[in-house]
């Protein structure tokens, strides 16, 4: 067994960490407060090469392995969840489906500008009435000559309503299968297509500096060629995308937990009560020890899942485990971190307050913790 | 314009330094290593000059194999090739010996300009740059914060701050400059840069390859011997001055400065 990272991965980690500390940390709190997506930090992240990390150079990507992408996401999340979300959704959900399931023409058309970060792309799966029950999507696409006519709506879609959002991959009902169940297919819809509207959602508790959207399709017509991969494969494509996406949510949990731990350790060593640093009280040092332990375990399970993915081995179960575990580890770490900060941890002046809020998404987005447990229990043969 | 940048790998500034049981060195086992920040200014400046004039940037470093990562980082930032002088006999060398080995590796290369950091943040001696220039027989200016290469590429004008003023110094090329904070903001190693760096040439050289005698290097050959390393004294806790009004607080502060600190 070899637990060491490659030299490139080590350099990548240092570079992204330095970038996040210098370019994101100074603005993260204010952007969260204002609920603002920053085009400035987006451009800087793009320049660093944070989009298209696992995409071949042929389409403008960096040609790195999946673990490298996960490390970069982890380092961003160590500093700010919103920026990590923009990158994770941009890569796993925006770029991923087109890269893995698109035809050559679609890849040539969209990937270069998505990999350079000049454009973002959404992943339209969730609907107001289809969350965990994603196969129950109501959005329809009817073939009319050479065009699909799309009607319906999507909700909670990351990166779909920025000024640079170029479109969305939407899961649509394209008919009924022989067994009577809906035939689901993915269709690419470009921003600006008549009948397609993406609205920014406000009032979020978490990831306030990332872009979240509601999408509306009202007799929206797109060319027949915008079908992604074979007809009827939509649900399968979405699930495949989520397997990989879960690794990046895992990375956000791991990085966020790491950030919480570092803040908590620093504060607990500085804060003096009853004449000594509060980290010297066993009840607190044990919290810190538990955080360190759980972060170590989270990193091992996440990196192992990435290793399986990079080596073309099945990783659905491990991805679900990593997503579930890393997000719950961050939940516990954020909770301990705020507790160790006492009253100050409840104030926006301390970043742990933001991490505490940002954490909650990880147990809900890209498959709730309950769904992860369903996936795992199916894959271990329990149900 | 061909530029050489000398790099040193140093402990990360956030590393907690532990003194080794021998009392003369530090424990290096769990240290995180980084590129000496002053050297990073040198890499950035070299890349900017290359972007303007063309040519090649070569980074040269010395130390154990782990230093490869620092060289690859410079290559990821945009340098073209790297040389690592690595030899067990180098372990424990002082600054003069380091300069000697660097000089041997550099003397046969084509270069117009050499950058080193003004000092390494680990031992803070600031000797390698000037010693190297002396051994190569070229002029040097230390602590530069601005560099302007003449259009004809034959000379360089640099700025060096001194007590409240700035010296503007011109030198013919080739010359050696030691980089000071304020020279520039180094770029990040970008992700495409990291991937490109994998394919850039990195040559390793031993002392024998450079025609050097190992007995002139290492612990035994040190002209400067470290007798003892001690940690800095622990900082005492601060004092908060109590008082009802600003006047009362000021009076108490004056009393303490006079009677306790004895500074007024």
């Amino acid at each position: 067994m070899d637990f060491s990272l490659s030299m490139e991965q080590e350099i990548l980690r240092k570079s992204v960490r330095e970038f996040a500390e210098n370019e994101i940390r100074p603005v993260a709190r204010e952007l969260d407060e204002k609920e603002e997506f920053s085009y400035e930090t987006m451009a800087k992240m793009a320049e660093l090469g944070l989009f298209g990390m696992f995409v071949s150079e042929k389409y403008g990507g960096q040609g790195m392995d999946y673990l490298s992408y996960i490390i970069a996401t982890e380092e961003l999340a160590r500093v700010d969840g919103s920026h990590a979300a923009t990158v994770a959704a941009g890569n796993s959900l925006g770029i991923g489906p087109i890269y893995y399931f698109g035809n050559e023409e679609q890849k040539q058309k969209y990937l270069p500008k998505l990999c350079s970060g000049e454009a973002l792309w959404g992943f339209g799966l969730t609907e107001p009435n289809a969350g965990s029950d994603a196969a129950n999507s109501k959005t329809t696409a009817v073939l009319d000559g050479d065009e699909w006519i799309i009607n319906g709506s999507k909700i909670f879609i990351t990166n779909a309503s920025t000024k640079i959002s170029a479109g969305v991959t939407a899961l649509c009902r394209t008919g009924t299968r022989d067994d009577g169940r809906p035939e689901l297919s993915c269709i690419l819809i470009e921003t600006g297509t008549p009948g397609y509207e993406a609205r920014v959602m406000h009032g979020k508790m978490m990831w306030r500096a990332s872009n979240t959207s509601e999408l509306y399709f009202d007799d929206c017509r797109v060319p027949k060629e915008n079908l992604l991969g074979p007809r009827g494969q939509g649900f399968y494509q979405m699930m495949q995308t989520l397997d990989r996406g879960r690794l990046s949510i895992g990375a956000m949990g791991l990085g966020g937990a790491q950030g919480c731990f570092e803040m908590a350790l620093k504060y607990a060593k500085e804060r003096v009560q009853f004449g000594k640093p509060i980290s010297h009280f066993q009840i607190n040092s044990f919290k810190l020890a538990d955080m360190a332990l759980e972060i170590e375990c989270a990193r091992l399970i996440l990196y192992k899942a990435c290793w399986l993915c990079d080596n073309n081995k099945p990783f659905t179960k491990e991805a679900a485990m990593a997503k579930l575990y890393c997000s719950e580890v961050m939940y516990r770490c954020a909770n301990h971190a705020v507790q160790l900060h006492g009253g100050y941890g409840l104030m926006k002046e301390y970043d742990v307050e933001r991490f505490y809020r940002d954490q909650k998404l990880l147990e809900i987005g890209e498959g709730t913790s309950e769904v992860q447990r369903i996936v795992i229990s199916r894959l271990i043969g329990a149900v | 314009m061909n530029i050489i940048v000398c790099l040193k790998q140093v402990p990360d500034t956030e590393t907690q330094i532990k003194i080794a049981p021998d009392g003369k060195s530090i424990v290096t086992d769990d240290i995180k290593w980084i590129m000496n920040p002053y050297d990073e200014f040198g890499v950035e400046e070299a890349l900017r000059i290359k972007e303007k004039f063309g040519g090649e940037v070569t980074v040269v470093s010395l130390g154990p194999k782990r230093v490869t990562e620092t060289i690859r980082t410079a290559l990821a930032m945009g340098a073209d090739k790297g040389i690592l002088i690595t030899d067990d006999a180098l372990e424990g060398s002082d600054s003069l010996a380091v300069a000697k080995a660097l000089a041997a590796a550099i003397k046969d290369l084509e270069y117009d300009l050499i950058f080193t950091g003004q000092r390494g943040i680990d031992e803070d001696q600031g000797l390698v740059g000037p010693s190297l220039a002396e051994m190569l027989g070229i002029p040097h200016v230390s602590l530069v914060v601005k560099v302007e290469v003449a259009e004809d590429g034959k000379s360089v004008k640099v700025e060096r701050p001194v007590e409240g003023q700035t010296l503007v110094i011109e030198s013919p090329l080739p010359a050696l400059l030691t980089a000071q904070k304020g020279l520039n903001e180094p770029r990040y190693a970008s992700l495409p840069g990291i991937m490109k760096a994998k394919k850039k040439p990195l040559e390793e050289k031993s002392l024998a390859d450079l025609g050097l005698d190992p007995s002139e290097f290492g612990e035994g050959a040190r002209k400067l011997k470290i007798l003892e390393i001690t940690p800095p004294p622990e900082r005492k806790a601060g004092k908060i001055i109590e008082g009802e009004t600003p006047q009362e607080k000021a009076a108490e502060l004056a009393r303490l400065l006079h009677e306790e600190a004895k500074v007024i």
Side-chain angles (χ1 to χ4, degrees):
Chain A
M1 257 203 268
D2 183 0
F3 287 100
S4 53
L5 298 177
S6 74
M7 190 181 296
E8 285 71 34
Q9 287 159 344
E10 295 283 3
I11 296 173
L12 167 84
R13 184 189 292 283
K14 278 187 193 166
S15 195
V16 178
R17 176 170 296 202
E18 209 178 312
F19 172 86
E21 288 289 350
N22 297 340
E23 312 294 336
I24 297 175
R25 195 180 295 280
V27 295
R29 197 180 303 159
E30 195 188 332
L31 292 171
D32 171 76
E33 182 92 41
K34 291 185 183 163
E35 202 173 24
E36 179 186 323
F37 176 92
S38 165
Y39 292 94
E40 196 182 332
T41 49
M42 170 67 205
K44 286 179 182 174
M45 294 195 295
E47 194 190 335
L48 190 66
L50 291 171
F51 292 87
M53 280 181 256
F54 52 78
V55 173
S56 141
E57 284 101 332
K58 188 176 155 196
Y59 303 109
Q62 271 66 268
M64 291 182 153
D65 56 13
Y66 212 80
L67 179 56
S68 297
Y69 160 50
I70 288 309
I71 291 169
T73 308
E74 176 191 340
E75 287 302 327
L76 293 171
R78 181 182 157 273
V79 170
D80 183 50
S82 292
H83 284 83
T86 302
V87 167
N91 282 286
S92 299
L93 307 182
I95 291 170
I98 300 176
Y99 183 52
Y100 292 115
F101 309 114
N103 60 35
E104 191 59 29
E105 206 183 321
Q106 289 163 338
K107 288 192 216 183
Q108 295 282 3
K109 185 172 179 193
Y110 298 115
L111 290 177
K113 63 182 177 183
L114 297 179
C115 292
S116 72
E118 69 189 88
L120 286 165
W121 196 268
F123 176 78
L125 172 62
T126 303
E127 295 187 1
N129 291 312
S132 295
D133 188 10
N136 194 32
S137 289
K138 295 281 187 287
T139 299
T140 56
V142 179
L143 200 55
D144 178 35
D146 284 342
E147 287 178 331
W148 293 102
I149 306 173
I150 303 165
N151 280 291
S153 68
K154 299 283 176 183
I155 196 165
F156 307 133
I157 311 304
T158 307
N159 287 344
S161 57
T162 68
K163 280 188 248 167
I164 55 169
S165 299
V168 64
T169 305
L171 184 72
C172 304
R173 274 180 193 229
T174 46
T176 308
R177 298 194 317 197
D178 295 342
D179 62 4
R181 296 167 75 178
E183 177 198 78
L184 297 166
S185 309
C186 284
I187 296 177
L188 305 175
I189 300 140
E190 290 184 17
T191 302
T193 307
Y196 168 47
E197 190 191 350
R199 280 189 214 153
V200 185
M201 293 176 77
H202 289 293
K204 284 185 291 178
M205 175 174 84
M206 38 22 79
W207 288 7
R208 289 169 55 85
S210 84
N211 172 266
T212 308
S213 331
E214 265 177 297
L215 314 180
Y216 300 92
F217 305 100
D218 184 11
D219 283 335
C220 170
R221 288 174 170 266
V222 300
K224 193 170 83 179
E225 299 74 49
N226 285 22
L227 183 70
L228 185 73
R231 187 170 172 166
Q233 289 291 302
F235 193 69
Y236 165 80
Q237 292 167 346
M238 287 276 171
M239 291 306 115
Q240 289 269 304
T241 302
L242 287 178
D243 276 351
R244 288 169 189 274
R246 278 168 190 157
L247 297 175
S248 57
I249 294 285
M252 296 192 57
L254 173 61
Q258 178 75 34
C260 288
F261 168 70
E262 288 175 25
M263 288 186 280
L265 181 63
K266 183 168 179 280
Y267 185 82
K269 283 162 80 175
E270 287 168 0
R271 171 73 170 172
V272 174
Q273 291 286 275
F274 304 104
K276 52 182 175 179
I278 61 167
S279 68
H280 287 208
F281 295 104
Q282 198 177 55
I283 196 155
N284 292 331
S285 63
F286 278 17
K287 282 190 183 85
L288 291 160
D290 285 345
M291 289 161 87
L293 162 69
E294 290 212 274
I295 289 168
E296 192 67 29
C297 295
R299 188 167 283 121
L300 287 175
I301 192 170
L302 178 64
Y303 287 10
K304 187 192 168 188
C306 293
W307 180 85
L308 292 169
C309 171
D310 280 328
N311 285 281
N312 300 315
K313 294 175 194 291
F315 64 97
T316 302
K317 182 180 75 186
E318 287 77 6
M321 286 177 167
K323 193 266 181 190
L324 173 62
Y325 189 68
C326 291
S327 54
E328 294 192 346
V329 166
M330 186 181 172
Y331 162 69
R332 288 189 285 271
C333 286
N335 191 34
H336 283 330
V338 170
Q339 192 68 23
L340 283 162
H341 278 72
Y344 295 105
L346 304 173
M347 305 302 292
K348 287 197 190 300
E349 195 184 334
Y350 285 81
D351 284 347
V352 284
E353 182 268 347
R354 187 174 82 249
F355 278 63
Y356 187 83
R357 285 184 282 111
D358 279 347
Q359 179 279 323
K360 194 58 206 173
L361 182 129
L362 306 179
E363 293 175 291
I364 295 175
E366 293 200 39
T368 60
S369 291
E370 292 75 7
V371 165
Q372 305 310 324
R373 287 189 164 86
I374 293 174
V375 172
I376 297 166
S377 44
R378 277 183 191 151
L379 289 166
I380 59 173
V383 280
Chain B
M1 178 105 352
N2 292 318
I3 308 168
I4 289 167
V5 187
C6 298
L7 299 182
K8 185 177 192 181
Q9 192 182 53
V10 295
D12 187 341
T13 42
E14 282 176 23
T15 303
Q16 275 205 322
I17 299 293
K18 286 184 219 130
I19 295 167
D22 71 0
K24 295 177 186 179
S25 57
I26 59 166
V27 180
T28 54
D29 295 351
D30 43 338
I31 278 182
K32 272 200 210 155
W33 300 93
I34 57 164
M35 188 189 303
N36 179 36
Y38 294 106
D39 301 345
E40 218 174 328
F41 299 134
V43 174
E44 177 62 35
E45 200 62 22
L47 294 173
R48 292 186 188 186
I49 296 170
K50 175 189 134 172
E51 278 156 13
K52 190 168 169 201
F53 289 89
E56 265 192 350
V57 174
T58 306
V59 292
V60 185
S61 192
L62 178 150
K65 297 266 179 171
R66 62 171 151 76
V67 178
T68 311
E69 187 188 314
T70 298
I71 298 181
R72 288 274 177 220
T73 303
L75 297 177
M77 286 169 74
D80 300 286
K81 49 189 183 185
I83 299 172
L84 172 64
I85 308 167
T86 187
D87 199 311
D88 291 344
L90 283 164
E91 183 68 31
S93 295
D94 64 10
S95 303
L96 269 183
V98 168
K100 197 191 288 184
L102 289 173
I106 292 171
K107 68 177 172 23
D108 296 327
L109 302 177
E110 274 186 35
Y111 60 87
D112 302 287
L113 205 48
I114 300 177
F115 282 100
T116 70
Q118 56 110 336
R119 61 188 165 91
I121 60 161
D122 50 356
E123 291 176 22
D124 274 344
Q125 303 206 39
L127 291 173
V128 169
S131 311
L132 173 60
E134 207 54 36
M135 288 168 187
L136 293 169
I138 59 170
H140 88 272
V141 186
S142 52
L143 296 152
V144 305
V145 293
K146 192 174 174 194
V147 176
E148 263 178 56
V149 176
E151 288 301 325
D152 65 1
K154 295 222 161 62
S155 67
V156 64
K157 194 157 85 178
V158 304
E159 290 185 10
R160 178 192 203 276
V162 286
E163 291 288 326
Q165 310 172 47
T166 302
L167 294 179
V168 181
I169 303 169
E170 207 173 283
S171 166
L173 295 179
L176 182 145
L177 306 175
T178 81
Q180 169 66 316
K181 192 173 179 186
L183 179 60
N184 52 45
E185 277 292 326
R187 68 196 64 190
Y188 301 102
S190 74
L191 278 60
I194 292 169
M195 295 309 277
K196 278 187 206 136
K198 271 171 104 166
K199 295 173 201 130
K200 291 180 179 174
L202 198 166
E203 210 181 337
E204 284 186 16
K205 298 206 172 196
S206 65
L207 289 173
D209 293 335
L210 298 170
L212 296 168
D213 176 2
S215 72
E216 292 174 25
F217 295 85
E219 197 66 51
R222 285 186 79 98
K223 295 200 166 43
L224 194 77
K225 299 219 190 289
I226 294 170
L227 301 179
E228 196 188 0
I229 295 182
T230 54
E234 254 187 62
R235 228 176 67 178
K236 290 193 194 123
K239 190 173 229 169
I240 293 171
I241 293 173
E242 307 284 344
E244 295 289 320
T245 62
Q247 285 84 348
E248 250 179 60
K249 287 185 188 173
E252 177 63 4
L253 174 64
R255 189 188 69 77
L256 289 172
L257 289 173
H258 183 61
E259 290 171 17
E260 274 191 19
K262 295 189 169 60
V263 291
I264 52 170

